[in-house]
Amino acid sequence: MAWRSILVVVSVVFAVCVAVEEEEHVLTLDHTNFTDVVSNHNFIVVEFYAPWCGHCQKLAPEYEKAASVLSSHDPPIVLAKIDASDEANRGLATQYQLKGFPTIKIFRDGGKNIQEYNGPREADGIVTYIKKQSGPASPEIKSKEDAANVIDEKKIIVVGIFQELSGEKFENYTTLAEKLRADYDFAHTLDAKLLPRGEPVDKPTLRLLKPFDEFFVDFEDFEVEVMEKLIAESSIPIVTYFDKDPENSIYVSKFFNGIGAKAMLFVNFSTELDTFQSKYKDVAVLYKENGLKGLSFLLGDVEAGEGAFNYFGLKPEQAPLIIIMENDGQKYLKAHVEPDALASWLKDYKDGKLKPYVKSQPIPEVNDEPVKVVVRDTLEKMVLNSGKNVLLEFYAPWCGHCKALAPILDEVAVSFENDPNVLIAKLDATANDIRTNEFDVKGFPTLYFKSASGKLSQYNGERTKEAIIEFIQQNRDDKTAQSEADSTTSESVKTDSAKDEL
């Protein structure tokens, strides 16, 4: 009887183990098999993750569900993952220039072509996005039904119109579609009459259909780089609206990810939108018509723009407020701006008459906590020119990950409190301007380490006391201590020389 009970238990355990194995559809990779697996697949999706990353933990079950569904696709689509925080896999993290976790990449043609995954983070969205990415970059529109299925009136789509599906221009178009398929929807047709907007054409034409401004734009230049530039410029509205409408979120994302200087006007949409929007759009149109394409315009609702206010360290009470941010992080700002003053203030900016706005918190009168407070006005003295080994955290007060990291950094700082050559510090990146030529801060928290000799590097390791301390010990140098030793030796020599002279 006892043996039968044991047999039942073993059978149940075995069944559970098998069930668990069957549920794991995400393929686990590491440095030993990564290259072989990727090179043997024409299409594979890989998540680079860190076990301690909260976003990775949230994505994991959704990624697994998507992998389960896609495993039944014809042909099956493989989703994989690799722990990029593991020391053994760090070479791959460097090779693929990871800037945060999770990072998802799509590998095509055995890894010859690599594409960033820019899709949703929930199972159904992942499945839909991946299925689309695994298919042709540009489906052909042969009927009104095809057009209705492919063209979403609320989204941007790039359509190539051709008289024949061959030749250099068609080949350039397909190259472009493959290159930009992660960012835009593409389609092509032999009959422009099937499209909802625009006239029939008798020569190869690239038609950009969009739900704003002039609603469609035609191009006839089929050089790949030229098409790419024209699409990027035309896919951003003359004025991007930043409010709570989810349909606008994709354009807001394109606005902030775009190149060039950005002008952002924040007003209260419920009471001030009608007063400001026409005058602001007039200015934006004027800039565009005069060929000044380096400046993009956004009109944001104060309520919806809470995150932007936090990022810039501004207050809603300063609205109506206009701020210009350049690529290097330089800012120009005017609070309580009047509608009629917009054009003249922007002209002063164009003419170089405005003074940059440099934001810094006051220098703290008392700075005796284990983790020292750095502000923009003390960044040079305390970090860059300190001659010490400094671990500097860029944080945001509202960031949950920063709050979780705070006690860990306190412990690290306490462990080095008797070491004069090591400083653990933090800077509120929402209340102080960041020197973007040295620090690349795209999320919070971001950790940088500056050695005593001046070498600057970003810390992407585990957020544990032990890992951070180990990193500091491995990357520190004691230039200050050596300088003091050299100085002491020099003084000793001088003293000995003086004695000899006496």
Side-chain angles (χ1 to χ4, degrees):
M1 187 70 178
W3 283 107
R4 185 174 297 175
S5 299
I6 293 173
L7 182 60
V8 170
V9 172
V10 170
S11 299
V12 170
V13 170
F14 178 76
V16 170
C17 292
V18 170
V20 170
E21 289 178 1
E22 289 178 348
E23 290 177 359
E24 295 178 353
H25 293 92
V26 176
L27 182 63
T28 299
L29 305 178
D30 60 28
H31 70 286
T32 65
N33 64 1
F34 182 91
T35 301
D36 288 340
V37 171
V38 170
S39 63
N40 287 324
H41 285 81
N42 287 325
F43 186 93
I44 184 171
V45 183
V46 181
E47 175 202 5
F48 296 84
Y49 75 99
W52 44 262
C53 165
H55 293 298
C56 301
Q57 293 166 6
K58 184 177 180 181
L59 173 64
E62 300 297 321
Y63 196 63
E64 175 61 38
K65 289 177 188 176
S68 176
V69 174
L70 292 170
S71 66
S72 300
H73 186 268
D74 185 18
I77 298 174
V78 178
L79 268 57
K81 64 181 180 181
I82 181 170
D83 180 358
S85 69
D86 188 322
E87 189 65 36
N89 300 326
R90 289 288 177 83
L92 291 167
T94 302
Q95 179 181 346
Y96 294 107
Q97 301 177 336
L98 304 186
K99 295 183 178 179
F101 299 116
T103 294
I104 304 175
K105 293 181 181 288
I106 297 173
F107 293 82
R108 303 175 189 274
D109 303 324
K112 295 177 182 177
N113 296 314
I114 305 171
Q115 168 192 323
E116 292 291 331
Y117 174 94
N118 296 321
R121 297 294 176 92
E122 44 79 28
D124 290 342
I126 294 172
V127 170
T128 301
Y129 184 90
I130 293 300
K131 282 184 177 180
K132 188 171 185 178
Q133 293 302 313
S134 66
S138 176
E140 184 179 357
I141 295 175
K142 299 180 180 180
S143 64
K144 288 286 187 181
E145 290 75 19
D146 289 344
N149 291 331
V150 171
I151 298 172
D152 186 334
E153 296 289 335
K154 296 181 179 180
K155 294 183 179 179
I156 292 173
I157 182 169
V158 183
V159 182
I161 305 171
F162 300 95
Q163 286 65 53
E164 57 181 357
L165 303 182
S166 61
E168 182 181 359
K169 291 185 177 181
F170 182 72
E171 290 177 2
N172 285 352
Y173 167 79
T174 56
T175 298
L176 175 80
E178 195 65 53
K179 182 179 181 180
L180 299 183
R181 63 183 300 162
D183 303 312
Y184 302 95
D185 290 336
F186 286 84
H188 60 271
T189 186
L190 293 171
D191 187 359
K193 294 178 183 178
L194 300 174
L195 305 181
R197 294 188 291 277
E199 299 297 322
V201 292
D202 58 5
K203 62 181 68 174
T205 302
L206 193 71
R207 179 165 293 172
L208 182 74
L209 301 173
K210 53 184 183 176
F212 52 80
D213 298 338
E214 64 271 60
F215 298 113
F216 80 93
V217 183
D218 284 352
F219 309 116
E220 295 179 3
D221 193 326
F222 275 80
E223 291 296 324
V224 174
E225 291 184 0
V226 174
M227 287 190 288
E228 188 173 356
K229 180 181 178 183
L230 291 171
I231 290 171
E233 291 175 352
S234 299
S235 62
I236 297 178
I238 294 174
V239 175
T240 298
Y241 283 80
F242 184 10
D243 54 18
K244 293 185 177 181
D245 185 349
E247 298 291 345
N248 289 331
S249 61
I250 185 173
Y251 306 115
V252 173
S253 178
K254 285 182 178 293
F255 175 87
F256 284 110
N257 289 328
I259 61 174
K262 297 169 177 59
M264 295 161 279
L265 173 64
F266 289 95
V267 303
N268 188 319
F269 272 24
S270 62
T271 59
E272 299 169 322
L273 180 61
D274 292 340
T275 307
F276 277 89
Q277 68 176 342
S278 61
K279 292 185 180 294
Y280 192 56
K281 187 170 184 177
D282 288 345
V283 173
V285 170
L286 181 64
Y287 268 71
K288 186 173 183 179
E289 289 178 347
N290 289 337
L292 299 172
K293 297 180 181 179
L295 187 62
S296 301
F297 293 81
L298 177 141
L299 180 56
D301 183 13
V302 171
E303 184 178 353
E306 181 181 358
F309 274 78
N310 287 333
Y311 178 83
F312 289 115
L314 302 171
K315 299 182 182 300
E317 302 86 71
Q318 293 175 275
L321 177 148
I322 186 168
I323 181 168
I324 291 176
M325 184 173 70
E326 297 181 335
N327 282 343
D328 61 359
Q330 191 82 273
K331 300 182 186 70
Y332 301 86
L333 180 148
K334 182 173 180 61
H336 308 297
V337 64
E338 296 290 336
D340 292 333
L342 289 170
S344 60
W345 187 81
L346 283 160
K347 185 176 186 303
D348 286 344
Y349 164 75
K350 181 176 71 71
D351 294 340
K353 295 180 180 180
L354 299 181
K355 291 183 178 180
Y357 169 72
V358 179
K359 177 180 59 178
S360 177
Q361 288 178 299
I363 299 174
E365 296 180 5
V366 178
N367 202 358
D368 55 3
E369 295 296 322
V371 177
K372 305 306 177 185
V373 175
V374 174
V375 299
R376 173 61 186 257
D377 290 341
T378 61
L379 183 62
E380 295 274 356
K381 181 179 180 181
M382 292 184 66
V383 180
L384 298 176
N385 298 328
S386 66
K388 294 184 177 183
N389 300 285
V390 183
L391 182 75
L392 177 63
E393 176 202 18
F394 292 92
Y395 75 98
W398 42 262
C399 166
H401 293 297
C402 302
K403 293 175 182 177
L405 181 61
I408 295 172
L409 289 183
D410 281 338
E411 292 179 11
V412 173
V414 169
S415 69
F416 285 105
E417 63 182 351
N418 294 322
D419 190 332
N421 293 315
V422 176
L423 178 71
I424 311 300
K426 62 182 180 180
L427 182 145
D428 182 348
T430 69
N432 298 274
D433 279 341
I434 300 169
R435 291 174 48 147
T436 54
N437 57 326
E438 282 135 342
F439 303 103
D440 182 21
V441 179
K442 294 183 178 178
F444 302 120
T446 293
L447 296 170
Y448 268 89
F449 181 75
K450 198 278 301 178
S451 71
S453 61
K455 182 180 179 181
L456 195 65
S457 58
Q458 189 169 349
Y459 176 78
N460 290 315
E462 293 186 20
R463 294 173 187 172
T464 63
K465 172 187 173 182
E466 294 75 18
I468 295 173
I469 290 175
E470 181 182 359
F471 176 87
I472 293 173
Q473 296 291 22
Q474 290 178 349
N475 292 275
R476 67 178 291 175
D477 56 56
D478 293 325
K479 179 180 177 182
T480 303
Q482 184 61 47
S483 298
E484 292 175 354
D486 292 343
S487 176
T488 302
T489 302
S490 177
E491 290 298 325
S492 176
V493 170
K494 289 179 182 179
T495 301
D496 290 343
S497 298
K499 287 180 181 179
D500 290 342
E501 290 174 2
L502 291 174

